[in-house]
Amino acid sequence: MTIAGRNRARLVAICIAALILILSLISFVGIVLNGNLDNSLVTGTKSAESSGITEFILSFLRNNYNGYAVLISILAFPFLSLGFLIFVYFTFKKTHAIEISFFAMFTLCISFESIRLVFPLYNFSNIVLDSIANLSRLVYFFRLAGIMSIFMAGIFANKIITRKISSVFFFIFFISFLICLSMPINNFYISRYFLSDIKAGHSYIYLFLIAALLACVNYFFVYITKNIKEYLFAAISLTGALIGYAVLLYTSSYTLLGIGLALFILGNLSFIKYIHSYHIWQ
């Protein structure tokens, strides 16, 4: 794929992320205004006399778990996705860096975390059990596809030369689909993070962790084998970004939300900066 082709693909990704952001904002406003976020389902703290807006404002004063912190963390993903895609597009518009295309795919995949807004939007109990499993499986699919894209970015950082990276994306999505299809989803229970859990899901959690860890290790090995200091800092930045990503996925308070956003934003911006600073001279 040429630079012009990658730029067109990134523009399509930006349009998709923008559409997802618009739908997410509409869903978020609907949840808050209609008071659909039933805190009693996850915390048992919602007062029957409180309106949705009042509960939303009061939730900022709480330091423990509340559903609105989770809600804002979900809404943050499409914002971050669109912002990073635009930043990548203009930063690498004339720079040849194959691995940044996989990073862009990761940033697009995180926008689909907003699928979790469907559960509070339809007031949790009004969703068919099969739909709960399918929606949850779809969220896990994009999570895994995003992590696998970061993993492949590390592999292509070793200067694997190919222009047919579209076939690599198809392979990533196919493997992610097969793995998510095999996940035993508990569709009788929605966790406090607005997602159905995986039954005996430790093996799948290990899969996510190992893929993320190897993605960071790949960049560290590039530094060791080729003595490119930018890749050392890129590995450190990516590690911080993925830690922030994990914190955002399991945010339970505004404190964790702030920590997760800080790590994720600073880590990704730093990662893009160091990758660009190396490739701009190549």
Side-chain angles (χ1 to χ4, degrees):
M1 185 182 294
T2 62
I3 293 179
R6 284 197 294 273
N7 287 337
R8 288 193 296 269
R10 289 166 189 167
L11 284 175
V12 172
I14 289 172
C15 293
I16 294 174
L19 178 60
I20 293 174
L21 176 58
I22 293 172
L23 295 175
S24 300
L25 284 171
I26 294 173
S27 301
F28 180 84
V29 172
I31 293 168
V32 174
L33 292 181
N34 296 327
N36 288 352
L37 187 58
D38 187 2
N39 279 337
S40 64
L41 179 69
V42 290
T43 65
T45 59
K46 183 176 181 179
S47 171
E49 300 177 355
S50 298
S51 66
I53 298 178
T54 302
E55 193 68 23
F56 176 71
I57 295 174
L58 291 176
S59 63
F60 280 96
L61 303 176
R62 298 171 184 157
N63 198 26
N64 57 346
Y65 173 87
N66 68 77
Y68 285 104
V70 181
L71 195 67
I72 294 174
S73 71
I74 296 173
L75 182 64
F77 281 112
F79 272 106
L80 294 171
S81 175
L82 180 60
F84 286 134
L85 283 172
I86 293 174
F87 185 60
V88 165
Y89 174 77
F90 286 105
T91 303
F92 288 88
K93 191 174 183 179
K94 297 181 180 180
T95 306
H96 184 79
I98 295 178
E99 67 262 36
I100 210 66
S101 296
F102 292 96
F103 176 80
M105 180 58 70
F106 165 72
T107 59
L108 177 62
C109 286
I110 67 174
S111 66
F112 288 93
E113 287 291 330
S114 57
I115 294 174
R116 290 190 281 161
L117 293 175
V118 172
F119 294 117
L121 182 64
Y122 285 92
N123 209 16
F124 297 100
S125 59
N126 297 331
I127 304 178
V128 181
L129 292 179
D130 288 340
S131 298
I132 291 176
N134 292 332
L135 289 171
S136 299
R137 196 169 272 120
L138 192 60
V139 173
Y140 288 122
F141 165 75
F142 282 108
R143 282 186 188 180
L144 183 58
I147 293 298
M148 291 295 291
S149 296
I150 286 291
F151 173 73
M152 294 303 297
I155 292 178
F156 275 82
N158 285 286
K159 297 300 181 184
I160 297 177
I161 304 300
T162 179
R163 292 183 179 269
K164 298 180 179 180
I165 62 173
S166 57
S167 58
V168 181
F169 285 127
F170 280 113
F171 177 75
I172 290 173
F173 289 134
F174 178 70
I175 295 299
S176 300
F177 174 76
L178 290 181
I179 293 175
C180 292
L181 195 63
S182 68
M183 290 180 175
I185 301 295
N186 182 8
N187 56 353
F188 292 98
Y189 172 73
I190 300 175
S191 72
R192 60 182 187 171
Y193 304 108
F194 308 157
L195 189 66
S196 293
D197 290 329
I198 305 172
K199 298 178 182 178
H202 293 89
S203 57
Y204 294 100
I205 293 175
Y206 293 147
L207 173 63
F208 281 87
L209 290 175
I210 292 299
L213 179 62
L214 290 178
C216 301
V217 170
N218 278 333
Y219 281 95
F220 184 68
F221 277 147
V222 174
Y223 162 70
I224 293 177
T225 57
K226 299 186 178 182
N227 196 26
I228 304 173
K229 66 177 182 179
E230 287 85 358
Y231 278 95
L232 172 62
F233 295 120
I236 297 173
S237 301
L238 184 60
T239 302
L242 291 178
I243 292 173
Y245 177 52
V247 173
L248 283 176
L249 289 179
Y250 297 101
T251 288
S252 59
S253 67
Y254 289 108
T255 301
L256 289 177
L257 176 62
I259 294 173
L261 284 174
L263 286 174
F264 192 66
I265 293 173
L266 293 177
N268 280 321
L269 290 178
S270 179
F271 174 81
I272 295 171
K273 172 182 175 294
Y274 285 115
I275 295 298
H276 180 261
S277 64
Y278 171 72
H279 283 281
I280 196 172
W281 302 109
Q282 300 305 307

